[in-house]
Amino acid sequence: MASEKILELKKQQVAEVTDWFKGSIAGVVVDYKGINVEDDTKLRKELREANVRYVVLKNTILRRAAEEAELSELNDVFKGTTAVAFSEDDYTAAARILGKYAKDVDSFSIKGGFMDGAVVDLATVEKLATLPTREVLLSMLCNVLNAPIAKLARAIQAVADKGEAPAEEAPAEEAPAQEAPAEEAKAEEAPAEETPAE
């Protein structure tokens, strides 16, 4: 009777972990040996804040769940002290956080991982660990997209500023003196008529 209850609990646990494997876009498997309680508490807090589920389970449970989730290639890494980090919405969070701890603690190491329903090698997990956060990546993308627009705006502003500069006024040309009509000129030149002497 007791063994049936235990078996039922294990089946439920396998089903739950299978759902975590299937519902995650990325995950990392680690050997957590050598991490002290204080560091483990900090690690779990950081993972929780990044919306990453971090669990320590028996390797037999993990193997069965991985097989159910069609990730049986992970079975080779389910040996020794094993923890798995599941991320439902960020490809890099688990790898980045756990990768940092793996650098700081010699005995803490990454064993493998999965992404989009497929097992990935250790090199891929290490590359994911070096990527910046999602927010930083989005910020970088926005900067790349805004750069041409900003450059265009500066060019338009420069043209507008150049067009607003006061134009130098050309000196006013003196109008040539108007010549008097020919008849008036002749009248001025003609001598006054002399009156005959009496």
Side-chain angles (χ1 to χ4, degrees):
M1 177 107 164
S3 62
E4 286 180 19
K5 284 184 179 180
I6 292 171
L7 186 60
E8 190 58 37
L9 285 172
K10 285 184 179 180
K11 284 181 181 177
Q12 288 175 359
Q13 199 172 21
V14 167
E16 185 178 22
V17 176
T18 301
D19 289 342
W20 295 343
F21 275 116
K22 289 181 177 178
S24 299
I25 60 172
V28 178
V29 181
V30 296
D31 183 346
Y32 64 90
K33 179 179 50 190
I35 189 169
N36 62 38
V37 175
E38 184 182 345
D39 287 341
D40 186 58
T41 304
K42 287 179 187 175
L43 172 64
R44 288 175 183 270
K45 182 177 185 271
E46 194 172 345
L47 289 165
R48 196 170 39 253
E49 288 172 354
N51 200 27
V52 175
R53 182 190 317 265
Y54 180 75
V55 293
V56 175
L57 294 164
K58 290 186 175 182
N59 289 320
T60 53
I61 301 283
L62 289 169
R63 281 190 204 103
R64 288 190 180 130
E67 286 171 5
E68 291 285 325
E70 298 179 4
L71 294 168
S72 56
E73 292 174 53
L74 279 175
N75 285 348
D76 294 340
V77 297
F78 295 140
K79 296 173 185 168
T81 52
T82 306
V84 183
F86 300 92
S87 179
E88 295 179 3
D89 56 10
D90 189 341
Y91 286 97
T92 65
R96 189 178 59 255
I97 294 166
L98 294 170
K100 181 176 71 174
Y101 275 80
K103 284 182 183 176
D104 295 342
V105 180
D106 292 334
S107 56
F108 185 93
S109 62
I110 295 174
K111 295 181 179 184
F114 63 95
M115 188 169 56
D116 290 331
V119 175
V120 294
D121 61 0
L122 194 56
T124 303
V125 177
E126 289 171 353
K127 285 179 186 173
L128 285 172
T130 62
L131 291 176
T133 64
R134 183 175 186 265
E135 289 75 21
V136 171
L137 287 172
L138 289 174
S139 174
M140 290 166 64
L141 176 63
C142 287
N143 287 339
V144 167
L145 295 176
N146 283 337
I149 296 168
K151 189 175 180 181
L152 176 64
R154 285 191 296 273
I156 291 171
Q157 187 62 45
V159 169
D161 291 346
K162 190 174 183 181
E164 289 177 6
E168 293 181 24
E169 294 181 18
E173 292 181 20
E174 293 180 19
Q178 289 183 344
E179 294 181 14
E183 291 177 6
E184 288 179 16
K186 284 182 185 177
E188 288 175 10
E189 291 175 7
E193 287 184 13
E194 291 181 16
T195 52
E198 291 181 19

